[in-house]
Amino acid sequence: MGGLQKKKYESGSATNYISRNKARKKLSLSLADFRRLCILKGIYPHEPKHKKKVNKGSTAPRTFYLLKDIRFLLHEPIVGKFREYKIFVRKLRKAYGKAEWSGVQRMKENKPAYKLDHIIKERYPTFIDAVRDVDDALSMCFLFSTFARTGKCHVQTIQLCRRLGVEWMNYIITSRSLRKVFLSIKGIYYQAEVLGQTITWIIPYQFAHDHPTDVDYRVMATFTELYTTLLGFVNFRLYQTLNLVYPPKLDGQGEFSLKSECEEDYALESESYSEKLAALSASLARTVPSVEDEEAELDHFPAEGEDLEKMETREKMELEQNKQKKLFEGLKFFLNREVPRESLAFVIRCFGGEVSWDKSLCIGSTYDETDETITHHIVDRPTIDKQYINRYYIQPQWVYDCVNGKILLPVEEYFLGVTLPPHLSPFVEESEGDYVPPEKLKLLALQKGEKPQAEEDEEEEEEEEDDEDDEEEDDQSEDEDEAEDEASLAEMEEKRAQGKSLSVKVTPGKVKPENRMRTEQEEKAEEKRLAIMMMKKREKYLYDKIMFGKKRHVREVSLLRNSSILYAFF
Amino acid sequence: HSSKRSLTKIYAYGHDQDQRKFWLALILTSVTLQDIRNTVGNIPMEWYKDYPHIGYDLDGKKIFKPIRNKDELDEFLDKMENPDYWRTVQDKMTGADIRLSDEQVDLVHRLQEGKFGDVNFNEYEPAIDFFSNEVMIHPVTNRPQDKRSFIPSLIEKEKVGKLVHAIKMGWIKPRRPKETTPQYYDLWAKEDPNSILGRHKMHVPAPKLKLPGHEESYNPPPEYLMSEEERLAWEQQDPEDRKLSFLPQKFACLRAVPAYSRFIHERFERCLDLYLCPRQRKMRVNVNPEDLIPKLPKPKDLQPFPTTQSLVYRGHSSLVRSISTSPSGQWLVSGSDDCTVRFWEVSTARCLKTVEVGGAVKGVAWNPNPSICLVAISYDDTVVLLNPGLGDRLVSTATDQLISSYEEPEEVKEQPVQWTVAEGEGHEQGHRLILKHPKAVRQVTWHGKGDYLACVMPDNGSSLQVVIHQVSKRRTQNPFRKNKGLVQCVSFHPIRPYFFVATQRYVRVYNLIKQELTKKLMANCKWISSMATHPGGDNVICGSYDCRLAWFDLDLSTKPYKVLRHHKKALRSVAYHRHYPLFASGSDDGSVIVCHGMVYNDLLQNPLIVPVKVLKGHTITHDLGVLDVTFHPTQPWVFSSGADGTVRLFT
């Protein structure tokens, strides 16, 4: 055969990947710049399928990028900006060294800046893509907005993050798209459905941060730079879809009340305005005056069979959702000063409730504590001195549990000083064979509309029945075991007797009751065991792994179940 | 003094600390060194550190260092006693101690305070303003004014003109106010859903963070909280190994929940994951584990095979190493470590005869020829051919006659084994022939015709490992000239003149007539323990100490057709049934596994191997379970002997 002999590593996967250092050299960037570029452009290393081939026979640990990705970076205008910035820094240093202060001033004014708009457009070609990826952006922005205004990053960034976060929350309130809330030990998780995309974000509890030393804030700042740009554009578009004014403005009433109220408290009007927005208590101004009850009704299409079923379930879901959206409508809440104001105000407003707080706590309170129409007063302390008769005094968990349960739960379990029922994660969806905590079962029953008291009894009964069943089964098996044991014991004794007296005895035989089902099952089990013996090595390995996972799951579930039963008794 | 004064004046301008020191030194030298002038100049004096002199005077003679032999103690005493110690300094140029005078001390003090050296110098003398706003009658300078001071500058005019022109033309614009807040607009106004970049073909979107479960709640159900032991275990684990990255906690109310200390860490780790973590698409195998189990014919359809333990033959007091059945299937012989051989009736489990021999019995083998009633028993280095006298009297006497009818040939060849005829008490017990070997015999096995007997004497050193005896001629031969490894067991081909020899890792097949190696089977295991040949002769199974059973199809390949790993521990023995398609293996885990091993006459069809039954009965003693298995010659029954001193029959 003619032709040149193919050399190794000159085609195939070895040429599709490039190591990080080579990529850096190709782009002629410093490592820090390369990293920043990767963050901004969303370039990440790939794990090749055959690492050794790609690594040209070496097994050294290396990270690989796709060559195409790196080529794609070559044409990025931001790389030029990076270089410009580098030169700017050099010039500035020189000017400082020569003490040319006017030059320094001029250079500082002409500091090169870059915009990330085109990168956002490129990374998220459609709006839905951007919305889908907004999770991390939100979490990061909310984290940065809780930072102190000193040290770790620019004040402007913190302010921008705060502004974007408030804009986002205002959008969620107006569109009523919050679905789930979860109070975890890390922070508060929120889940919203925006344009059909499920978005989850976490907000830390309002405390000063203990800044760790082993965290690179530059990396986080670069991410935040990208995320704020993304979030800004997403917010703009979302506000547009709801015909809201962007940047957000309070509608007429709110503005008026603001002006009348607290002009003397805040030095700057702009500051008080943003604070008022952040209070989340007033609705936003719209470009087009809103029309009430503009809910689009689903069109009905003639459908058959499965489609019909699907349609029905969809309609049902829609109804449920609409109901959930109006969960707190008509309720008036008052927040005591020790509860997390922002979170509660956000959640209550998301579901149509009215909320207010003490005037001295925060700007934007709409009514006083003495208001007679208040239905729920949220308190997080064991007792309260002055209580009004016509309202419930409840602990904040009630609000969150109601949201997750999609119904107004009975308030008795959440009164002041009462031990709270467990707060369950709304994100857990139990499949078959998983452990379901008893509280969840109770909630499910409540959702179905059964009365809690009766349900409890039933449940207990059911459980008991189950237990009994189990016990019965156990008993059966035990009985059988015992029977066998007894039989063997008798045999043994007989033998012993034979040994002693050497007299042969014939005893009437007993008919052993044969459990047909059982023998059949045993047979099947043995067949399976024997077949497993004949498995190939690879398949056996896979099979063992799967079975190991299954068994572990079952074990965990049973452990949880046992301990829950234990706790129920003591 | 004049020089000193000028120096001090100069000093006043040198505010630097170094300069100050320098001047101080200079003052001292200028004051004190008036008579001895060192000519070395302004050099570091440590250059003269190692010399006895310190420089040269004006005449070029060495200036010697003064004799200094003060040690620390002297120094200290000097410090304590000498009232002028504090004002004594060492002159580096001469090495001599100089006591500063009061004036000099005063000067030093003044310099230290940052004052002028001269006491009389007034630093605040009134300044005389020569160029003041007051017009004097006598000008300080009388130069006439330049013309350029009252004519507008042309260059400036030109410059201004250029700027004005540039502004008029719109080239220069006023500085724009800086944008501090980013501007947002509808970025996706003209979005094109098809504009997906080429690189997105390989794009792997970052997985979303896992959503929290019940255990992360601030008030979880109590079963999700960790017990004390779990918590300790959690704390001792490496942070990477932990299943949960946090400790579940319960708080009575929301107010009591503290800040989560690792929040920033977790966000940061997420950032790192997003841009540093290599991504790879992994196909998750979504296999139903039931589908992985091979579809085999049901054991029910493969009957008959032994299923239950029906008889236990008790009597031996130590491990039963070897068992064998008579060709009729009526008797069973077992040899044990308690130096006895027992003969049992199969159907009743009665021990009919016990023969004591002189050592632990390693192997027993009943002659497969039904017309001869002989049992070969090996213990130590001896093989005894024994006539148990069971069964047909005719056969028994015929056997005796056969042995006694032997006539010694004329020329006696030297043999490696010594043949002797048993006499006296031994003869009464049934011993007929005694073969004394040079080494310990481990295994004995008969040829199908019943005339030849092969013995294995494992030895790494010599070539005499296997001997084949011909009973009728009382002849012994050593078939192999070379040692090819430690022989584990041997077996005759049931039909053809082939001989199988299993060493540690290989099974060699020899043609006895042509006297050559025909095949070498690779067992793919560490150490073969046992071997059995299919009655058809084309298949061999090997058991090994590393829990494997290898089935060889001699027509197919020299590699195993199938390797079964169904035993948990080392295999001790394997056996084929003579008629039924069954084979069994006994292992140290105390179980006997019976498999269906169908060999088809059609050469194109591979043997079918299906495990059909796991038989358990033997108790494990000293880590040994089943030591030998053998099938009943006619029935689908299997015998097994174990380390617990019993022989069991499974039917």
Side-chain angles (χ1 to χ4, degrees):
Chain A
M1 299 283 272
L4 282 170
Q5 197 185 352
K6 258 196 177 176
K7 274 190 188 164
K8 238 180 175 183
Y9 310 127
E10 284 195 347
S11 62
S13 57
T15 51
N16 290 340
Y17 292 93
I18 185 169
S19 74
R20 194 190 62 187
N21 257 346
K22 274 193 181 159
R24 238 195 61 222
K25 272 180 196 152
K26 194 175 174 110
L27 295 169
S28 59
L29 283 173
S30 69
L31 186 60
D33 276 345
F34 178 71
R35 282 194 170 154
R36 194 147 17 114
L37 191 65
C38 284
I39 291 170
L40 295 178
K41 294 281 283 182
I43 303 292
Y44 45 85
H46 280 255
E47 185 77 9
K49 227 175 192 178
H50 301 286
K51 208 163 180 191
K52 208 175 160 191
K53 264 186 206 167
V54 173
N55 216 348
K56 307 206 166 136
S58 151
T59 49
R62 274 199 191 109
T63 48
F64 290 99
Y65 290 85
L66 278 181
L67 191 63
K68 272 189 183 169
D69 281 353
I70 300 301
R71 284 217 191 101
F72 166 75
L73 286 183
L74 275 174
H75 308 291
E76 180 53 46
I78 251 181
V79 177
K81 290 281 182 190
F82 283 164
R83 295 202 182 107
E84 253 175 52
Y85 193 81
K86 201 170 71 183
I87 292 159
F88 159 74
V89 169
R90 200 190 294 150
K91 278 183 180 166
L92 198 67
R93 210 186 307 128
K94 205 176 252 178
Y96 264 113
K98 289 180 179 171
E100 292 170 349
W101 306 119
S102 61
V104 167
Q105 192 64 33
R106 197 194 66 238
M107 270 182 241
K108 272 189 176 170
E109 270 164 16
N110 294 327
K111 185 177 166 184
Y114 53 83
K115 282 195 161 184
L116 300 174
D117 306 5
H118 66 284
I119 290 183
I120 300 289
K121 184 74 202 282
E122 186 187 81
R123 282 182 69 169
Y124 308 107
T126 60
F127 179 55
I128 288 296
D129 290 334
V131 172
R132 197 180 294 144
D133 231 23
V134 96
D135 294 41
D136 286 316
L138 281 170
S139 296
M140 197 64 141
C141 274
F142 279 113
L143 171 65
F144 264 65
S145 62
T146 57
F147 279 177
R149 303 266 193 282
T150 48
K152 293 297 170 193
C153 61
H154 294 299
V155 178
Q156 287 93 333
T157 317
I158 294 169
Q159 279 170 345
L160 182 63
C161 283
R162 174 75 186 149
R163 182 192 132 192
L164 292 170
V166 167
E167 280 171 10
W168 173 263
M169 288 207 281
N170 269 319
Y171 167 78
I172 296 289
I173 289 173
T174 320
S175 64
R176 298 221 177 155
S177 43
L178 192 70
R179 293 286 169 269
K180 289 167 181 174
V181 195
F182 178 47
L183 300 168
S184 90
I185 52 172
K186 296 182 181 176
I188 305 177
Y189 287 89
Y190 298 93
Q191 192 172 63
E193 205 179 297
V194 179
L195 305 177
Q197 304 295 327
T198 311
I199 292 159
T200 316
W201 71 96
I202 180 172
I203 303 183
Y205 290 114
Q206 294 267 335
F207 289 105
H209 288 286
D210 189 9
H211 284 285
T213 48
D214 52 344
V215 161
D216 189 355
Y217 279 92
R218 283 175 304 170
V219 170
M220 299 244 280
T222 315
F223 268 102
T224 312
E225 203 178 342
L226 177 80
Y227 285 156
T228 48
T229 320
L230 169 67
L231 204 56
F233 285 117
V234 168
N235 277 350
F236 187 93
R237 177 79 182 229
L238 286 175
Y239 272 67
Q240 226 181 20
T241 55
L242 284 188
N243 287 332
L244 292 170
V245 182
Y246 189 91
K249 289 226 164 53
L250 298 171
D251 66 354
Q253 287 177 331
E255 206 144 353
F256 176 72
S257 66
L258 169 76
K259 272 191 184 160
S260 62
E261 258 178 44
C262 17
E263 229 154 81
E264 62 276 13
D265 294 349
Y266 284 87
L268 286 171
E269 202 181 324
S270 63
E271 195 177 307
S272 70
Y273 200 82
S274 66
E275 285 293 319
K276 177 85 185 176
L277 269 173
L280 306 174
S281 64
S283 50
L284 301 180
R286 289 171 189 264
T287 46
V288 182
S290 64
V291 186
E292 294 296 318
D293 295 317
E294 53 169 341
E295 278 163 27
E297 282 194 13
L298 273 181
D299 291 337
H300 290 271
F301 295 105
E304 280 178 16
E306 272 185 37
D307 285 348
L308 193 72
E309 266 177 34
K310 270 186 197 169
M311 191 88 129
E312 273 171 5
T313 50
R314 212 187 310 153
E315 263 174 45
K316 220 177 174 183
M317 290 267 284
E318 194 81 11
L319 265 177
E320 227 170 66
Q321 246 178 37
N322 282 341
K323 219 170 143 191
Q324 196 200 356
K325 276 181 190 171
K326 292 176 182 167
L327 186 65
F328 292 145
E329 228 156 66
L331 302 185
K332 249 180 151 179
F333 291 86
F334 190 83
L335 308 181
N336 229 21
R337 58 174 60 247
E338 69 276 359
V339 299
R341 186 202 66 80
E342 193 176 283
S343 165
L344 275 169
F346 174 56
V347 172
I348 291 167
R349 291 260 295 130
C350 273
F351 295 95
E354 278 182 79
V355 66
S356 181
W357 45 85
D358 196 88
K359 215 186 268 173
S360 60
L361 177 64
C362 181
I363 194 172
S365 67
T366 43
Y367 46 86
D368 228 9
E369 189 184 351
T370 50
D371 196 331
E372 291 291 313
T373 53
I374 290 171
T375 55
H376 292 81
H377 192 128
I378 301 175
V379 185
D380 198 8
R381 52 175 82 178
T383 50
I384 193 163
D385 291 339
K386 198 183 169 195
Q387 293 201 355
Y388 294 83
I389 299 167
N390 53 353
R391 61 176 84 160
Y392 293 121
Y393 284 84
I394 45 166
Q395 301 197 38
Q397 196 190 317
W398 181 79
V399 176
Y400 299 103
D401 280 353
C402 284
V403 169
N404 294 337
K406 298 177 185 175
I407 43 164
L408 290 178
L409 294 170
V411 285
E412 289 82 24
E413 289 182 321
Y414 299 89
F415 280 156
L416 301 194
V418 172
T419 314
L420 289 167
H423 179 63
L424 297 176
S425 165
F427 305 118
V428 180
E429 273 164 22
E430 283 93 354
S431 56
E432 212 177 302
D434 284 351
Y435 170 66
V436 187
E439 291 82 11
K440 181 112 183 184
L441 291 173
K442 215 186 275 180
L443 181 74
L444 286 176
L446 268 176
Q447 280 173 344
K448 275 178 205 157
E450 289 165 36
K451 280 193 176 176
Q453 203 57 45
E455 175 50 38
E456 257 175 49
D457 288 352
E458 270 179 22
E459 226 175 87
E460 274 172 26
E461 276 171 15
E462 268 175 45
E463 277 181 11
E464 276 168 27
E465 275 173 15
D466 284 358
D467 287 356
E468 277 169 10
D469 281 359
D470 288 353
E471 278 170 13
E472 274 172 15
E473 279 179 2
D474 286 355
D475 284 355
Q476 275 181 6
S477 58
E478 271 173 30
D479 283 353
E480 281 169 18
D481 286 354
E482 275 174 28
E484 281 175 12
D485 282 357
E486 276 176 358
S488 64
L489 266 179
E491 271 177 38
M492 291 279 282
E493 269 181 28
E494 270 172 40
K495 276 180 192 168
R496 222 175 282 160
Q498 278 178 4
K500 273 179 189 169
S501 62
L502 279 172
S503 63
V504 181
K505 235 187 203 173
V506 179
T507 46
K510 273 182 193 170
V511 180
K512 226 181 179 181
E514 260 192 24
N515 193 344
R516 223 166 177 204
M517 290 278 281
R518 200 173 169 124
T519 48
E520 225 167 76
Q521 271 180 4
E522 274 174 10
E523 249 174 45
K524 272 211 173 138
E526 194 176 358
E527 239 173 69
K528 199 174 155 190
R529 243 189 347 261
L530 290 169
I532 285 169
M533 279 179 189
M534 286 302 287
M535 269 165 113
K536 277 178 196 160
K537 204 173 167 187
R538 263 170 80 185
E539 284 173 354
K540 182 85 192 297
Y541 176 72
L542 188 63
Y543 179 83
D544 282 349
K545 230 172 145 183
I546 295 172
M547 292 319 269
F548 176 77
K550 274 191 175 175
K551 269 181 197 159
R552 190 177 51 193
H553 183 72
V554 167
R555 204 167 53 229
E556 275 166 9
V557 166
S558 72
L559 197 76
L560 281 173
R561 189 164 290 145
N562 289 345
S563 60
S564 87
I565 289 168
L566 211 75
Y567 280 111
F569 277 114
F570 300 110
Chain B
H1 265 281
S2 66
S3 71
K4 181 177 153 193
R5 185 184 166 154
S6 66
L7 284 175
T8 50
K9 246 188 177 173
I10 291 164
Y11 164 69
Y13 296 99
H15 293 288
D16 230 29
Q17 196 70 27
D18 291 336
Q19 252 175 332
R20 194 178 289 188
K21 273 184 193 159
F22 168 71
W23 286 117
L24 203 63
L26 212 66
I27 290 160
L28 286 175
T29 50
S30 65
V31 170
T32 52
L33 291 179
Q34 295 206 339
D35 40 0
I36 325 162
R37 301 291 284 275
N38 198 344
T39 56
V40 289
N42 185 18
I43 56 155
M45 290 314 288
E46 65 256 25
W47 289 358
Y48 284 92
K49 200 171 58 187
D50 299 333
Y51 296 96
H53 61 285
I54 203 163
Y56 304 90
D57 61 8
L58 288 171
D59 303 330
K61 292 201 179 122
K62 285 176 182 172
I63 306 171
F64 286 94
K65 283 178 191 168
I67 298 154
R68 297 177 64 95
N69 48 5
K70 278 188 185 172
D71 57 1
E72 296 269 312
L73 197 62
D74 289 331
E75 192 79 13
F76 177 71
L77 287 176
D78 204 20
K79 192 176 177 179
M80 289 289 110
E81 287 166 1
N82 190 357
D84 289 337
Y85 179 79
W86 61 275
R87 54 162 64 176
T88 314
V89 292
Q90 194 196 350
D91 185 3
K92 273 185 188 161
M93 293 295 272
T94 57
D97 284 347
I98 299 160
R99 182 183 166 280
L100 298 181
S101 66
D102 285 349
E103 271 181 2
Q104 286 165 342
V105 169
D106 198 29
L107 178 63
V108 170
H109 277 306
R110 271 209 306 283
L111 290 177
Q112 274 179 339
E113 282 163 17
K115 290 178 185 165
F116 285 89
D118 190 0
V119 192
N120 302 320
F121 181 73
N122 184 9
E123 50 196 301
Y124 302 112
E125 273 176 6
I128 300 155
D129 212 356
F130 290 104
F131 300 96
S132 66
N133 56 346
E134 285 168 31
V135 181
M136 295 183 181
I137 45 167
H138 300 295
V140 180
T141 60
N142 207 8
R143 200 161 160 267
Q145 258 187 329
D146 283 327
K147 186 182 176 184
R148 63 171 182 264
S149 65
F150 49 83
I151 292 176
S153 161
L154 273 177
I155 300 166
E156 275 178 13
K157 189 186 166 194
E158 205 175 335
K159 272 187 184 168
V160 169
K162 271 185 183 169
L163 283 174
V164 167
H165 181 65
I167 290 168
K168 267 186 193 168
M169 298 302 287
W171 297 336
I172 294 180
K173 277 175 198 154
R175 197 169 284 140
R176 263 179 301 168
K178 268 228 146 172
E179 281 174 17
T180 47
T181 50
Q183 293 298 308
Y184 299 118
Y185 50 91
D186 194 357
L187 189 68
W188 293 279
K190 284 178 280 175
E191 81 180 20
D192 177 14
N194 300 325
S195 72
I196 291 162
L197 289 167
R199 76 184 187 90
H200 281 238
K201 198 167 70 179
M202 295 286 280
H203 181 55
V204 186
K208 293 205 170 183
L209 273 181
K210 213 182 137 219
L211 290 172
H214 298 313
E215 61 278 354
E216 208 182 306
S217 167
Y218 87 103
N219 182 14
E223 58 265 27
Y224 285 95
L225 294 171
M226 282 188 185
S227 65
E228 194 64 21
E229 302 115 52
E230 280 172 323
R231 199 175 58 78
L232 278 175
W234 184 89
E235 273 165 6
Q236 278 171 0
Q237 267 178 329
D238 268 352
E240 289 93 32
D241 298 341
R242 285 173 188 163
K243 210 175 163 203
L244 288 179
S245 60
F246 55 90
L247 271 175
Q249 279 172 294
K250 196 179 179 87
F251 296 98
C253 53
L254 190 58
R255 189 186 34 160
V257 184
Y260 183 58
S261 59
R262 287 193 52 80
F263 195 92
I264 296 177
H265 270 286
E266 283 187 359
R267 288 319 313 166
F268 179 60
E269 273 157 25
R270 171 72 177 165
C271 288
L272 289 187
D273 281 351
L274 283 177
Y275 89 104
L276 278 185
C277 192
R279 296 186 199 167
Q280 187 180 33
R281 258 181 215 285
K282 279 222 166 137
M283 290 299 155
R284 191 168 268 279
V285 261
N286 211 351
V287 196
N288 184 6
E290 301 302 317
D291 296 344
L292 290 172
I293 300 171
K295 295 278 169 287
L296 294 172
K298 282 192 177 177
K300 252 188 198 169
D301 309 336
L302 302 174
Q303 273 168 346
F305 54 82
T307 51
T308 49
Q309 176 183 316
S310 55
L311 283 175
V312 182
Y313 303 80
R314 289 179 205 276
H316 282 296
S317 58
S318 186
L319 16 155
V320 184
R321 290 257 182 214
S322 174
I323 48 174
S324 179
T325 51
S326 70
S328 60
Q330 202 179 353
W331 318 104
L332 176 75
V333 60
S334 64
S336 158
D337 269 12
D338 59 359
C339 306
T340 57
V341 174
R342 280 172 189 261
F343 292 88
W344 315 81
E345 192 176 19
V346 167
S347 52
T348 57
R350 278 183 65 189
C351 179
L352 293 172
K353 199 169 178 181
T354 309
V355 178
E356 292 211 6
V357 293
V361 181
K362 288 275 153 38
V364 292
W366 206 300
N367 195 324
N369 190 347
S371 62
I372 300 171
C373 183
L374 264 185
V375 177
I377 298 157
S378 73
Y379 62 91
D380 293 343
D381 55 353
T382 318
V383 173
V384 176
L385 298 184
L386 190 135
N387 184 359
L390 297 171
D392 202 343
R393 181 68 56 84
L394 279 175
V395 174
S396 168
T397 49
T399 309
D400 279 349
Q401 272 178 8
L402 187 80
I403 285 169
S404 55
S405 65
Y406 169 72
E407 285 172 16
E408 205 130 309
E410 273 135 41
E411 44 176 313
V412 182
K413 251 181 153 181
E414 188 133 327
Q415 298 203 48
V417 171
Q418 194 189 343
W419 294 73
T420 44
V421 181
E423 281 167 354
E425 201 183 327
H427 191 270
E428 272 169 36
Q429 274 195 331
H431 293 208
R432 293 294 176 264
L433 284 171
I434 298 165
L435 288 77
K436 278 276 178 197
H437 288 71
K439 279 171 283 188
V441 179
R442 190 166 136 191
Q443 190 212 354
V444 283
T445 180
W446 288 97
H447 183 249
K449 294 268 167 57
D451 195 18
Y452 289 97
L453 175 71
C455 298
V456 180
M457 301 173 280
D459 182 10
N460 237 342
S462 77
S463 62
L464 185 70
Q465 290 200 84
V466 181
V467 286
I468 299 177
H469 309 293
Q470 192 177 10
V471 176
S472 58
K473 291 184 179 163
R474 299 198 186 171
R475 214 171 58 182
T476 302
Q477 48 183 333
N478 176 17
F480 303 118
R481 235 174 297 147
K482 264 187 197 162
N483 177 6
K484 292 254 170 101
L486 202 62
V487 176
Q488 298 300 311
C489 52
V490 295
S491 133
F492 286 101
H493 192 284
I495 308 155
R496 287 194 207 94
Y498 288 131
F499 190 55
F500 298 90
V501 179
T503 55
Q504 271 182 30
R505 316 188 73 168
Y506 306 103
V507 178
R508 290 185 172 81
V509 187
Y510 293 97
N511 189 333
L512 286 176
I513 290 176
K514 285 184 186 169
Q515 300 202 335
E516 63 177 18
L517 179 72
T518 48
K519 230 166 225 171
K520 187 176 160 192
L521 308 177
M522 261 73 91
N524 281 353
C525 58
K526 297 272 158 53
W527 197 311
I528 294 174
S529 64
S530 51
M531 176 178 59
T533 325
H534 192 262
D538 280 342
N539 295 284
V540 176
I541 48 174
C542 279
S544 76
Y545 288 118
D546 51 351
C547 321
R548 295 168 192 226
L549 187 145
W551 174 296
F552 293 97
D553 193 333
L554 296 186
D555 298 333
L556 211 64
S557 153
T558 58
K559 300 233 167 60
Y561 158 65
K562 195 140 237 175
V563 177
L564 306 178
R565 289 177 198 80
H566 48 212
H567 279 292
K568 301 266 181 325
K569 282 185 180 168
L571 269 79
R572 288 276 164 185
S573 154
V574 289
Y576 270 113
H577 197 279
R578 214 174 283 174
H579 305 299
Y580 290 105
L582 289 174
F583 65 92
S585 56
S587 155
D588 277 351
D589 58 6
S591 66
V592 176
I593 294 183
V594 181
C595 301
H596 178 89
M598 186 61 158
V599 176
Y600 300 97
N601 285 332
D602 181 7
L603 280 176
L604 290 175
Q605 207 167 357
N606 286 330
L608 171 76
I609 300 169
V610 183
V612 286
K613 190 71 192 173
V614 180
L615 299 166
K616 278 181 185 160
H618 287 285
T619 50
I620 295 167
T621 37
H622 307 301
D623 281 339
L624 294 174
V626 179
L627 293 175
D628 198 7
V629 288
T630 183
F631 276 101
H632 192 273
T634 50
Q635 300 293 327
W637 299 347
V638 68
F639 299 94
S640 68
S641 73
D644 53 350
T646 59
V647 179
R648 286 162 201 259
L649 168 66
F650 300 95
T651 56

